[in-house]
């Protein structure tokens, strides 16, 4: 599996930088965003270093599917309220125009009672 020794999310995924873990398995890590945009805000990252959605290949589809399928369960566990009154938002910033700052693919999942700081 490809990782990048200079990448902050690779270091977090490897446990070299501490994070508040929400979920971990062989392929992914979910952890609280250090600068939350909403009462609930966590990131889901593949353990493999994929720079962004722009580099996603067919072979990544099962893992990305698993991450998306797990996101609602983690959102509820972290304090998002049930659909339809509650809910959450899923965002994947990609590239400079997409507002991406950390170049390791990550899924933002955020929600909880409004107001939110962003979104
Ligand atoms: P982007 O703008 O790339 O989509 O989002 C990057 C996110 O990563 C930001 O929301 C930022 O707060 C978060 N972040 C950056 N560095 C760290 C860190 O070291 N630990 C954690 N938990 N989150 C981080
Ligand atoms: Zn990385």
């Amino acid at each position: 599996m490809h990782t990048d020794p200079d990448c902050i999310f690779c270091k977090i995924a490897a446990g070299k930088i501490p994070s508040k873990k929400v979920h971990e398995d062989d392929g992914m890590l979910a952890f609280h965003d250090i600068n939350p945009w909403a009462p609930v805000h966590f990131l889901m990252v593949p353990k493999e270093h994929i720079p962004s959605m722009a580099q996603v290949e067919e072979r990544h589809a099962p893992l990305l599917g698993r991450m998306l399928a797990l996101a609602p369960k983690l959102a509820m566990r972290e304090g998002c309220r049930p659909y339809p009154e509650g809910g959450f938002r899923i965002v994947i910033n990609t590239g400079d125009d997409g507002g991406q700052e950390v170049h390791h693919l990550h899924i933002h999942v955020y929600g909880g009672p409004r107001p939110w700081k962003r979104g």
Side-chain angles (χ1 to χ4, degrees), residues 33-48:
D33 195 293
I34 206 166
N35 185 17
W37 300 344
V40 176
H41 185 181
F42 60 89
L43 304 173
M44 302 179 76
V45 303
K47 288 191 172 175
E48 177 178 345

Side-chain angles (χ1 to χ4, degrees), residues 8-9 12 17-19 31-37 41 43 93 99-103 106 108 118:
I8 189 159
F9 285 178
I12 288 175
I17 292 179
S19 67
F31 56 97
H32 287 242
D33 195 293
I34 206 166
N35 185 17
W37 300 344
H41 185 181
L43 304 173
N93 295 327
Q100 183 180 8
E101 287 174 3
V102 177
H103 291 267
H106 51 281
H108 292 265
R118 188 165 153 181

Side-chain angles (χ1 to χ4, degrees), residues 7 10 49 104:
C7 168
C10 281
H49 180 79
H104 178 128

Side-chain angles (χ1 to χ4, degrees), residues 73-107:
K73 296 183 179 73
L74 298 183
M76 290 305 114
R77 200 201 291 164
E78 290 304 306
C80 292
R81 297 170 297 171
Y83 178 92
E85 294 81 12
F88 48 84
R89 183 171 290 172
I90 289 177
V91 165
I92 308 178
N93 295 327
T94 304
D96 290 347
D97 285 348
Q100 183 180 8
E101 287 174 3
V102 177
H103 291 267
H104 178 128
L105 173 59
H106 51 281
I107 301 175

Side-chain angles (χ1 to χ4, degrees), residues 16-59:
K16 288 176 189 156
I17 292 179
S19 67
K20 281 194 184 172
K21 239 180 256 181
V22 171
H23 170 86
E24 180 168 21
D25 63 43
D26 282 354
M28 71 176 100
L29 182 73
F31 56 97
H32 287 242
D33 195 293
I34 206 166
N35 185 17
W37 300 344
V40 176
H41 185 181
F42 60 89
L43 304 173
M44 302 179 76
V45 303
K47 288 191 172 175
E48 177 178 345
H49 180 79
I50 307 168
S52 80
M53 281 302 292
Q55 288 76 29
V56 165
E57 297 172 5
E58 190 65 36
R59 68 186 174 87

